Amino acid sequence: MAPASPICKTMTAGTLKQNPSAESPPRCVNLLDADEFRRQGQQVINFIADYWSGMGDHPVRPNVTPGFLRDQLPTDAPPMPEPDAWASALQDIRDLILPGMTHWQSPRHFAHFPASSSTAGALGEALIAGINVVPFTWAASPAAAELEMVVVDWLGKALHLPASLLFAGGGGGTLLGTSCEAILCALVAARDRKLAEVGWGRIGDLVVYCSDQTHFSFRKAARIAGIQRGYCREIPTSLDDMFALSPAALKAAMQADVDAGLVPLFLCATVGTTQTTAVDPIRGLCAVAATHGLWVHVDAAYAGSALVCPEFCHVVDGVEAVDSFSMNAHKWLLANNDCCALWVKKPAALVAALGTEQEYILKDAAAEGHDVVDYKDWTMTLTRRFRALKMWLVFRCYGVDGLRDHIRSHIRMAAAFEELVRGDARFEVVTDRHFALVCFRLLPTERLGGEKKANELNRRLLEEVNTATLGPYMSAANAGGIYMLRCAVGSTLTEDRHVREAWKVVQEQATSLRGKMQIVKV
C-alpha cells in the first residue's frame, strides 16, 4: 500500500548545526494519517453534537458589527503549525466564530426557507470529503456516475415527477450545487437549441419570461447567458391571484414581442416563490408557451420537497409538459448544503450546449460502445462533488415515508402558527398558505390607517421581533405594495413549542409597539 501524501518542513536548527554545509532536506509529515484522523475526527463529531444539542442557547442572529472577527484574528497565516493546532482552532471556532454566526439550524430560525440538516446528510458530507473523487466522467469514477443516475431517478419517483423527466423514461437528471446553476444550464440549452433554429446572429433578439415574483437568480442567469437586460420580461402579479403568474398575461407579453420581431425563448415558472410561496399554474403556462416554442423550466427550489407527499402533487399539475424541473434537496429534504437536483426531458440538449470534446486523457476503453453519462457535459464545471452519495444515504437512512413525515410535521406546525395569527383580530394572514410559510401582518388601528403607515408599522414590528434576546428570527416580504412578515417553519430542530414561543414574542412586541405609537400620537 502506497504511503499517504506527505507535507515537508525544513530541518531544525540542531540538525543544521551537525551538518552546516548541507542543504536543508525536508522533514515530511503524513497528511492522511489514519490515527490522527480518528483522534481529530472524534473531536469534530463531539463539537458538532454539542453544537446541535446546545442550539437553543444561541441567539439566532449575532449582535456584532462589521470587522468584529477580522480585528480578533492575525493579519497573516501562521508560517508553521501551532502547538496542538486542531484543538486550538476548535476553541477559536467556539469562542470567536460561533458567536458571530446566524444559526440556520436554530429551532427559532423562521426567516428563510430551511437549510435542512440530518445526521445522515452531515455524515454523508464527511464521506464525500474523505473519498474525495472528481466524477466529471463515467471513467473518472464509474460508481459515482452510476449512483447519481440511480439517485436522481429515486428522487424523481419520490417526488412523483413524470417518467419523461427520468432516465427510466428517456430523460435524466443530475445533482448540482444550487438552483442558480440549474436554471443557467437549462437556459443555455434552450438558447442554443433556439439559435440553431433561427440563426446564431439573432442572439440579441431572444426574450425570456418570468413573473415579478421569480427569484432574482433567473435574471442573473439570463445576463450570464447573453440575454439583453431589457429582454427579461417580468410580468406583474397581484394579490387577487395570490401573486401567481397569469397565462393570459404571458400570452400578451409574448405576442407583443413577436409583433416587434423578437424571439420568445424561455419561461421560468415557479412552484413556491421566495416571497410568498406563490404557485404558478404549470398546465396553463405550458399551453401558452407551446404556441411559440418556449422552453419551460419549473423552479421548485423550496416547495419541490413537498412533492414527496401525494397530497401536494396538484401544485405541479401539467408538469409532464415542461422541459426541465429543479429543486433543492438541501432546503427541506435533509440533504445538507449543497444538493440541487435538475431533470431534463431531452438530455441531448444539455450535452449539445455544455458538452466538451473528449480529450484523450478522459477516455476509457471500458466505456467505449456503452451509453454512459459523462456529467461534465451536463453543467458548466468539470470539477464536481459526489453529492449522490449523500442523497443515497438520506434515502437509505430515512426512507421516503420518513421524508414525508418530516415535511408534514413542518406543514402541521405552520398551520398551527397560521391559526394563532387568525385567532388574534389585530393581525391578518395576507396570502394563502401552500406549504410551511405563513405571511402575515399587524393591522393598523383605524386611527393610524393607510397602507403606507401599515407597512411602516410592520417594518417596526419585524425589527422589534428580531431584537428579542434568543429569537425568533423572521423576515419580510413586500409583494403588491404590501409589507408582510414571513414565518417559515423548516428547521430540523423546530418543535411545536418553538412555534408557540415565536407567536408569543410577536404578540408581545405588537402590544408594545401599538402602545408606543398611541403615546406618540397623543
Side-chain angles (χ1 to χ4, degrees):
M1 180 176 178
S5 176
I7 186 171
C8 297
K9 302 176 183 178
T10 57
M11 294 181 70
T12 65
T15 305
L16 288 174
K17 187 175 181 180
Q18 296 172 16
N19 188 8
S21 63
E23 292 185 7
S24 301
R27 178 169 57 86
C28 297
V29 177
N30 189 350
L31 291 180
L32 290 178
D33 184 282
D35 290 334
E36 188 70 357
F37 181 73
R38 288 187 182 94
R39 184 182 70 83
Q40 295 175 346
Q42 189 60 57
Q43 291 178 346
V44 172
I45 293 294
N46 289 338
F47 184 98
I48 296 171
D50 289 344
Y51 175 66
W52 286 345
S53 62
M55 188 69 70
D57 298 331
H58 293 283
V60 187
R61 289 202 307 167
N63 182 20
V64 296
T65 56
F68 81 97
L69 182 60
R70 288 175 293 164
D71 292 342
Q72 298 181 78
L73 297 178
T75 56
D76 297 303
M80 298 291 289
E82 304 170 29
D84 201 9
W86 192 256
S88 176
L90 285 179
Q91 190 62 47
D92 281 348
I93 293 172
R94 183 181 292 108
D95 297 341
L96 302 179
I97 295 176
L98 286 185
M101 299 292 290
T102 296
H103 299 284
W104 282 67
Q105 304 310 313
S106 171
R108 296 185 299 273
H109 190 303
F110 302 106
H112 305 104
F113 292 144
S116 65
S117 290
S118 65
T119 54
L123 292 173
E125 279 292 316
L127 281 168
I128 292 167
I131 297 171
N132 204 31
V133 296
V134 186
F136 46 63
T137 62
W138 180 89
S141 196
E146 295 191 16
L147 185 64
E148 187 161 344
M149 296 175 69
V150 170
V151 164
V152 291
D153 266 17
W154 277 14
L155 181 55
K157 291 174 184 177
L159 300 180
H160 302 93
L161 295 183
S164 57
L165 289 173
L166 309 182
F167 282 110
T174 183
L175 297 177
L176 308 172
T178 69
S179 289
C180 309
E181 295 175 62
I183 292 170
L184 178 58
C185 290
L187 181 52
V188 169
R191 179 199 66 190
D192 283 14
R193 187 178 73 174
K194 180 63 72 173
L195 290 176
E197 298 174 6
V198 302
W200 293 87
R202 299 200 66 188
I203 187 170
D205 295 331
L206 299 179
V207 186
V208 298
Y209 303 86
C210 64
S211 85
D212 59 3
Q213 301 301 304
T214 302
H215 194 271
F216 64 80
S217 60
F218 175 61
R219 291 175 282 282
K220 182 175 183 177
R223 293 200 300 271
I224 296 172
I227 307 300
Q228 294 193 53
R229 287 178 182 261
Y231 286 177
C232 183
R233 305 284 187 239
E234 297 181 24
I235 300 171
T237 60
S238 71
L239 180 60
D240 292 340
D241 294 323
M242 289 296 150
F243 301 110
L245 176 58
S246 161
L250 172 65
K251 181 178 181 179
M254 286 195 303
Q255 189 59 53
D257 286 328
V258 171
D259 293 343
L262 301 176
V263 181
L265 170 66
F266 190 97
L267 167 66
C268 184
T270 307
V271 173
T273 59
T274 301
Q275 290 216 95
T276 66
T277 61
V279 174
D280 291 339
I282 304 303
R283 183 177 298 281
L285 292 172
C286 285
V288 170
T291 61
H292 294 292
L294 266 70
W295 180 298
V296 179
H297 176 78
V298 172
D299 174 17
Y302 159 68
S305 297
L307 298 179
V308 297
C309 305
E311 61 267 30
F312 287 104
C313 290
H314 68 278
V315 301
V316 290
D317 182 41
V319 70
E320 64 277 359
V322 308
D323 296 280
S324 53
F325 184 100
S326 63
M327 56 80 65
N328 289 343
H330 63 249
K331 268 193 166 60
W332 204 8
L333 216 57
L334 299 176
N336 288 51
N337 277 322
D338 54 16
C339 189
C340 169
L342 167 68
W343 293 270
V344 291
K345 186 176 289 185
K346 301 291 184 183
L350 275 183
V351 175
L354 299 167
T356 60
E357 292 297 323
Q358 188 85 333
E359 295 184 10
Y360 180 79
I361 196 172
L362 301 182
K363 290 185 177 180
D364 188 276
E368 295 295 326
H370 295 275
D371 187 20
V372 301
V373 171
D374 289 335
Y375 274 119
K376 71 177 178 63
D377 297 332
W378 289 50
T379 184
M380 295 84 67
T381 63
L382 295 183
T383 301
R384 54 198 311 276
R385 304 177 67 240
F386 188 13
R387 298 181 182 91
L389 182 62
K390 174 177 57 175
M391 194 72 239
W392 181 72
L393 286 169
V394 167
F395 274 120
R396 291 285 300 272
C397 294
Y398 307 123
V400 176
D401 286 347
L403 296 177
R404 286 175 183 153
D405 291 343
H406 169 73
I407 297 294
R408 285 169 175 159
S409 69
H410 288 144
I411 291 171
R412 177 185 54 76
M413 284 186 273
F417 185 89
E418 180 184 32
E419 287 306 306
L420 291 172
V421 175
R422 293 189 186 280
D424 189 327
R426 298 175 299 171
F427 292 84
E428 70 170 353
V429 176
V430 181
T431 60
D432 292 344
R433 181 191 54 77
H434 294 293
F435 308 105
L437 173 71
V438 180
C439 293
F440 67 102
R441 66 173 180 168
L442 176 63
L443 296 170
T445 63
E446 184 177 352
R447 186 174 179 180
L448 292 172
E451 198 64 54
K452 183 177 180 180
K453 291 185 178 179
N455 288 347
E456 180 58 30
L457 173 68
N458 282 278
R459 284 191 187 93
R460 292 184 60 182
L461 175 60
L462 181 63
E463 291 175 2
E464 297 296 327
V465 168
N466 285 343
T467 57
T469 305
L470 291 177
Y473 175 34
M474 294 186 182
S475 61
N478 194 337
I482 303 170
Y483 187 96
M484 61 197 93
L485 278 68
R486 298 171 74 257
C487 178
V489 181
S491 169
T492 309
L493 295 171
T494 299
E495 301 173 2
D496 295 87
R497 63 186 177 89
H498 299 114
V499 172
R500 292 193 299 269
E501 290 166 2
W503 174 240
K504 183 178 179 182
V505 171
V506 171
Q507 285 185 306
E508 289 173 349
Q509 296 302 326
T511 299
S512 174
L513 180 59
R514 274 191 162 188
K516 292 175 184 176
M517 296 186 75
Q518 289 292 354
I519 291 171
V520 170
K521 293 295 290 184
V522 172

